Amino acid sequence: MNRYAKTHVSEGARTELHDLLGLTGAEISINTLPAGESVPFVHAHKRNEEIYAVLSGTGTAVIDGETVALAAGDWLRVAPIAQRRLFASAGGALKYVCIQVKAGSLEDYTMTDAVVV
Amino acid sequence: MNRYAKTHVSEGARTELHDLLGLTGAEISINTLPAGESVPFVHAHKRNEEIYAVLSGTGTAVIDGETVALAAGDWLRVAPIAQRRLFASAGGALKYVCIQVKAGSLEDYTMTDAVVV
């Protein structure tokens, strides 16, 4: 396994990083949803927690029927079982990151997992 | 467990999302390294893969002695064992996200983990 891998994400509808970077603990996508459009389906997950980060624009997430406003700087955790669908506002595109990780997989982290050299 | 949790990340040196959002598969931090400054130590990890995303600014990551240029839009995977340290350029702050996940923890993802409703 390489010690590191780097890629640059330019403008585009969707970039998936798992294969590009050789990720083993997450799938990460960078997405642009055009103004007024939505992800074309409602979905949930079997085992994966999703974390959404809004990079720019505004929109909404509908989660189990509840509408959650989204704006740049917002971070959202969605449990595997929750039914979700994202919408971009009519006024502009919604750019966001979606991080998919296995729920319950994290053990130690930060200072308890780090080794300071 | 709640179906979802949301927070808004404003400007600041460092925001950690694990406890704020109740994450169970990742720790995520949003960081600002002032111009000309660096993370004050070299570190590796026991079990966690780290993924860095550069939001704005430029800088470098030194990984096992190799210097890797960083700019907005770059995404970087660093293996647990790699020794890393981040530096912001003299000209401006480096804003970045660091995603920590357990290496090897992801099983199915995207279409193989999703349930379309």
Side-chain angles (χ1 to χ4, degrees):
Chain A
M1 179 63 79
N2 291 329
R3 296 301 182 93
Y4 76 89
K6 191 181 98 164
T7 193
H8 183 78
V9 176
S10 304
E11 295 294 318
R14 181 175 169 94
T15 303
E16 298 175 342
L17 298 181
H18 182 276
D19 293 352
L20 276 176
L21 293 180
L23 303 183
T24 70
E27 165 62 309
I28 300 173
S29 61
I30 300 95
N31 304 272
T32 302
L33 203 51
E37 295 197 7
S38 63
V39 174
F41 51 84
V42 176
H43 82 285
H45 275 272
K46 295 174 192 163
R47 290 186 289 191
N48 290 348
E49 174 173 277
E50 283 190 328
I51 303 116
Y52 293 89
V54 181
L55 298 176
S56 65
T58 59
T60 53
V62 176
I63 303 172
D64 289 338
E66 185 177 344
T67 298
V68 181
L70 295 177
D74 283 348
W75 288 78
L76 184 68
R77 173 195 183 268
V78 183
I81 199 174
Q83 298 183 1
R84 74 213 68 179
R85 186 176 180 188
L86 262 65
F87 298 78
S89 295
L94 181 70
K95 292 186 65 173
Y96 66 96
V97 175
C98 179
I99 301 161
Q100 222 179 119
V101 292
K102 187 179 172 187
S105 63
L106 191 71
E107 296 181 39
D108 294 325
Y109 58 95
T110 310
M111 292 320 292
T112 54
D113 192 69
V115 180
V116 176
V117 180
Chain B
M1 175 67 75
N2 291 330
R3 296 299 182 94
Y4 77 90
K6 191 181 97 163
T7 192
H8 182 79
V9 176
S10 304
E11 296 293 316
R14 182 175 168 93
T15 303
E16 298 175 341
L17 298 181
H18 182 278
D19 293 353
L20 275 176
L21 293 180
L23 302 183
T24 69
E27 165 62 308
I28 299 173
S29 60
I30 300 95
N31 305 271
T32 301
L33 204 50
E37 296 197 7
S38 63
V39 176
F41 51 84
V42 176
H43 82 286
H45 276 273
K46 295 174 192 164
R47 291 185 289 190
N48 290 349
E49 175 174 275
E50 282 189 330
I51 302 117
Y52 293 90
V54 181
L55 299 176
S56 64
T58 59
T60 54
V62 176
I63 304 171
D64 288 338
E66 185 178 343
T67 299
V68 180
L70 295 177
D74 283 347
W75 287 78
L76 183 69
R77 172 195 183 268
V78 184
I81 200 175
Q83 297 183 2
R84 73 212 69 178
R85 186 176 179 189
L86 261 66
F87 299 78
S89 295
L94 181 71
K95 292 186 65 173
Y96 65 94
V97 175
C98 180
I99 301 161
Q100 223 179 117
V101 292
K102 187 179 172 188
S105 64
L106 190 71
E107 297 179 41
D108 294 324
Y109 59 95
T110 312
M111 291 319 292
T112 55
D113 192 69
V115 180
V116 175
V117 181

